[in-house]
Amino acid sequence: MIPQKVTLLTLGAFDLPVLRKFYQSLGWEETEMSSDQYAVFKTAGVLLSLFPIEELAKDAGIELTTSPDTYRPVTFAINVDQPEQVDTTIEEIRDAGGKILREPSDAFWGGRTAYFADPENNLWEVAWNPASIFDERGAMISF
């Protein structure tokens, strides 16, 4: 049986120093394994790593067919504890240079949500879901 868990998310970086600096400016803590060639940030549930996209494509055995101007068909999410945290989080992301794609607004499903893109157009949602349940580390375990 395959373990039902996600432990590491890796973003292929076109410009690793710029992308790394963006996540550092959000105040995210890096692990001791980070270097100029590879950056790893701690989050509540998984590690987020940044790796040069050419090296990632080579490692996966695929041809690189995207550019930094293209949105990827994946969205990451930062779920917060209170609805007003969506707004304050988006303001901090804006101050750090994130591109706000959708301003905070109430969602049809009863929560609050907003979207931003990092410097390489990786999509992120900031959301508050009134049904979310987090463990003691802050990892979402249900919604």
Side-chain angles (χ1 to χ4, degrees), residues 56-136:
L56 184 60
K58 185 167 67 174
D59 194 44
I62 62 169
E63 184 179 332
L64 185 60
T65 60
T66 188
S67 76
D69 298 325
T70 304
Y71 288 105
R72 276 60 153 203
V74 173
T75 301
F76 303 100
I78 300 168
N79 285 77
V80 295
D81 297 317
Q82 300 296 322
E84 59 274 4
Q85 286 178 291
V86 173
D87 300 65
T88 57
T89 301
I90 285 295
E91 285 310 310
E92 289 181 43
I93 290 164
R94 186 187 321 273
D95 292 345
K99 183 183 346 176
I100 308 308
L101 303 172
R102 179 175 159 196
E103 294 291 338
S105 62
D106 293 334
F108 70 91
W109 43 265
R112 188 154 179 81
T113 187
Y115 281 85
F116 73 93
D118 70 16
E120 294 192 357
N121 288 320
N122 294 295
L123 297 180
W124 286 84
E125 178 186 23
V126 178
W128 170 74
N129 183 329
S132 292
I133 299 171
F134 300 94
D135 71 9
E136 67 281 350

Side-chain angles (χ1 to χ4, degrees), residues 1-21:
M1 179 163 168
I2 298 171
Q4 188 173 336
K5 61 182 179 178
V6 176
T7 55
L8 177 70
L9 297 174
T10 300
L11 295 177
F14 287 94
D15 189 335
L16 182 63
V18 169
L19 203 55
R20 182 181 186 194
K21 183 174 172 70

